[in-house]
Amino acid sequence: MSLKSLLIVVPCALFSICLFAQKKKKGELPNRVVCNYGDVKPEDFAPAVYPIDSSADAVYLFDGGHTKFEGNNKGFFSVVYKVHERLRLMKKNAFDNLGNVKITLHVPSVGDQQKLEDLEAATYNIENGKIVATKLDKGSIFKDKQGDFITTKFTFPNLKEGSIVEYTYTISTPGLRLPSWTFQGTYPILWSEYEIEVPQFYEYVLLKQGYQPYAIDTVRISHDTYNISDPGENAMSSIQTFTASTNTMNNIWAMKDVPALKKENFTTTMDNHVARIEFQLSAIRYPDVPPKMILRNWTDVSTELLKDEDFGAALDKSNNFFNDDVKAAIAGATSGAEKAQKIYEYVRDNFTCTDEDAFYTSQPLKKTYQGKKGNVADINLLLTAMLLSQNIEAHPVLLSTTDNGKAQAMYPILSKFNYVICEAKTDGKTYLLDAANSKLGFNHLGANCYNGYARVIDPVLPELIPLFADSLKESKVTTVFIINEKGHKLSASINSTKGYQESVSLREELSKTSQEDFFKTIKKSYTGEVSLNNANVDSVKLLNEPVKVRYDMSIDMGDEDIIYFNPMQAEQQKENPFAAAERFYPVEMPYCWDETYILNMEIPEGYAVDELPKSARVMLNENEGMFEYLLAKNGNNIQMRTRVKLNKALYEPEDYQTLRDFFAYVVKKEAEQIVFKKVK
């Protein structure tokens, strides 16, 4: 059945569904900002600074987008996307970023191409109290073609500090893909809005994210007619024009006074937090025919992926080429768990990952096996195949790493995933394995994998696996023993047992530098005259064990009448990691902290304690964390124990100030010093 016959009449059933919804008339919303291109007024130049951000290099005065469907001359619809931007460039620092505009289109040699239309741009300045507009000359527009993409570039003319610049353009794209919209960026925005008009033939899943409130979030219904031209199947066919009449859903979203989004410490990726809406086509419902479901379920997607030659098709084959190596690897193993661990270690230790951001395989499994290298999907799917060959239940698992942004937990939107690991089940236990990371032990994942939910690719049970940073509990213990030596010197012995994820990071660091250089860096973290000896890092190659750092140190205390000594030494938290006065998105720590520092020291010979910091204990939101600082003099010794513990890794924006104050107290307390006074 042709599109013409499907769309020419609106059936009563569909029409009644539209009438059932609350119908609103079209018209401007009372609190909506209206901005017409070219309508710049003198008062627009009045603010010397903007309250939303007095230090901003630039401010978006208006940021608008509008998408609608239009019938095209190819017998279908085109999505017409119009953008209108108006900005105030307050400082020259913004000229490079915002004074140059790039618009990229997809123009493949075969298939549908995007078209750029109605491009206009201008710069506005105040001269002698009047607005002077300098329009963009068409000869100043340049195009650069790279493969299937054309980028249109231009630079605003006559830029000055305080100029207002404005541009608008329209992109027409055949098909049904709705452009996403971002309400927030690196500069503050006074008003950002996005409007879409969608024929009710098409259903989309709306994906919202961000932490800014909407000034407008509404839907209205109208009835529209679309004119479509069908050129026919060949040059001999006559062009036919027909109309499609249906209800149209008109959605409007807007935000007011949107602050700039700036990256702060403990942020996985800004893409997780920018205020944005995206769309995924979920169903097509033409009159008089069964609906076509576009967004499938995970059972169907898993089935397709396991048949895909670039993903899991090889898992259903015999794969005899690796049998001898697998048998050698599992020699002596008596249980399924032992076999799984030995196979995992064989792949981890003998294969090199060439690309850690890959969803599909780059080559057949046999080629990966022969070349001993491949991307993360190549390696972990090879691991899966080897486990299956030994009758160990194993499945690929899709996830999105922390730097890639969060994937949708429920919807099978594969473009959101970028990493593949392996799930193995044996002897009544489940193991998650990543042989692409050469620094990981058995049943361990890197902190970058803890980014929400992962999805098991299994058509029978495509279950969700929760991988949240809150489930990672990192414990670190540092002990320091200090005794007196001759000549006003102290001798210290330092032992630090790292947490597992810190151990992974340290192993990675030591793969790129020597232990000698590593300890040179440690020495620089101390103040005063110190020397290190007997330095060593243990368990570097024991990947299931935490790394231990050990060294002895000689401290020259000098012969002053008064000595100030920080008992925390190099373990002192010197700066508050939360410097920003406010934060508009969550704090995302890579894991929960539990760091303990223990000190036992002799009072320097010939000195007495003049001042000793007071002990303290504070809680973070009752049970979310604690800081303990215990210090006491016992005869000729000083004993100290500090502990910083955070029971969760994710803190919402409303908890930011409390967290910031907590660390401010930790920094202040750990900066306190013991005062030793020479005994006369």
mmCIF file with all atom_site columns, all heavy atoms in Angstrom, residues 17 60 353 565:
data_model
loop_
_atom_site.group_PDB
_atom_site.id
_atom_site.type_symbol
_atom_site.label_atom_id
_atom_site.label_alt_id
_atom_site.label_comp_id
_atom_site.label_asym_id
_atom_site.label_entity_id
_atom_site.label_seq_id
_atom_site.pdbx_PDB_ins_code
_atom_site.Cartn_x
_atom_site.Cartn_y
_atom_site.Cartn_z
_atom_site.occupancy
_atom_site.B_iso_or_equiv
_atom_site.pdbx_formal_charge
_atom_site.auth_seq_id
_atom_site.auth_comp_id
_atom_site.auth_asym_id
_atom_site.auth_atom_id
_atom_site.pdbx_PDB_model_num
ATOM 1  N N   . ILE A 1 17  ? -9.290 9.749  19.005 1.00 0.00 ? 17  ILE A N   1
ATOM 2  C CA  . ILE A 1 17  ? -8.219 9.755  20.004 1.00 0.00 ? 17  ILE A CA  1
ATOM 3  C C   . ILE A 1 17  ? -7.701 11.173 20.202 1.00 0.00 ? 17  ILE A C   1
ATOM 4  O O   . ILE A 1 17  ? -7.455 11.618 21.305 1.00 0.00 ? 17  ILE A O   1
ATOM 5  C CB  . ILE A 1 17  ? -7.076 8.824  19.556 1.00 0.00 ? 17  ILE A CB  1
ATOM 6  C CG1 . ILE A 1 17  ? -7.553 7.374  19.605 1.00 0.00 ? 17  ILE A CG1 1
ATOM 7  C CG2 . ILE A 1 17  ? -5.849 8.988  20.440 1.00 0.00 ? 17  ILE A CG2 1
ATOM 8  C CD1 . ILE A 1 17  ? -6.569 6.385  19.042 1.00 0.00 ? 17  ILE A CD1 1
ATOM 9  N N   . TYR A 1 60  ? 23.734 34.649 25.813 1.00 0.00 ? 60  TYR A N   1
ATOM 10 C CA  . TYR A 1 60  ? 22.700 34.409 24.809 1.00 0.00 ? 60  TYR A CA  1
ATOM 11 C C   . TYR A 1 60  ? 21.440 35.169 25.229 1.00 0.00 ? 60  TYR A C   1
ATOM 12 O O   . TYR A 1 60  ? 20.861 34.902 26.289 1.00 0.00 ? 60  TYR A O   1
ATOM 13 C CB  . TYR A 1 60  ? 22.375 32.919 24.706 1.00 0.00 ? 60  TYR A CB  1
ATOM 14 C CG  . TYR A 1 60  ? 23.339 32.122 23.866 1.00 0.00 ? 60  TYR A CG  1
ATOM 15 C CD1 . TYR A 1 60  ? 24.571 31.714 24.378 1.00 0.00 ? 60  TYR A CD1 1
ATOM 16 C CD2 . TYR A 1 60  ? 23.027 31.770 22.560 1.00 0.00 ? 60  TYR A CD2 1
ATOM 17 C CE1 . TYR A 1 60  ? 25.462 30.979 23.615 1.00 0.00 ? 60  TYR A CE1 1
ATOM 18 C CE2 . TYR A 1 60  ? 23.909 31.027 21.783 1.00 0.00 ? 60  TYR A CE2 1
ATOM 19 C CZ  . TYR A 1 60  ? 25.124 30.640 22.315 1.00 0.00 ? 60  TYR A CZ  1
ATOM 20 O OH  . TYR A 1 60  ? 25.999 29.916 21.554 1.00 0.00 ? 60  TYR A OH  1
ATOM 21 N N   . CYS A 1 353 ? 44.261 -4.372 23.883 1.00 0.00 ? 353 CYS A N   1
ATOM 22 C CA  . CYS A 1 353 ? 43.095 -3.595 23.445 1.00 0.00 ? 353 CYS A CA  1
ATOM 23 C C   . CYS A 1 353 ? 43.564 -2.362 22.686 1.00 0.00 ? 353 CYS A C   1
ATOM 24 O O   . CYS A 1 353 ? 44.347 -1.553 23.201 1.00 0.00 ? 353 CYS A O   1
ATOM 25 C CB  . CYS A 1 353 ? 42.242 -3.182 24.645 1.00 0.00 ? 353 CYS A CB  1
ATOM 26 S SG  . CYS A 1 353 ? 40.751 -2.273 24.185 1.00 0.00 ? 353 CYS A SG  1
ATOM 27 N N   . PHE A 1 565 ? 54.872 21.505 63.269 1.00 0.00 ? 565 PHE A N   1
ATOM 28 C CA  . PHE A 1 565 ? 54.897 20.197 62.608 1.00 0.00 ? 565 PHE A CA  1
ATOM 29 C C   . PHE A 1 565 ? 53.469 19.765 62.293 1.00 0.00 ? 565 PHE A C   1
ATOM 30 O O   . PHE A 1 565 ? 52.614 19.673 63.182 1.00 0.00 ? 565 PHE A O   1
ATOM 31 C CB  . PHE A 1 565 ? 55.562 19.167 63.525 1.00 0.00 ? 565 PHE A CB  1
ATOM 32 C CG  . PHE A 1 565 ? 55.675 17.793 62.929 1.00 0.00 ? 565 PHE A CG  1
ATOM 33 C CD1 . PHE A 1 565 ? 56.690 17.475 62.037 1.00 0.00 ? 565 PHE A CD1 1
ATOM 34 C CD2 . PHE A 1 565 ? 54.755 16.794 63.259 1.00 0.00 ? 565 PHE A CD2 1
ATOM 35 C CE1 . PHE A 1 565 ? 56.798 16.209 61.491 1.00 0.00 ? 565 PHE A CE1 1
ATOM 36 C CE2 . PHE A 1 565 ? 54.848 15.528 62.714 1.00 0.00 ? 565 PHE A CE2 1
ATOM 37 C CZ  . PHE A 1 565 ? 55.877 15.241 61.826 1.00 0.00 ? 565 PHE A CZ  1
#
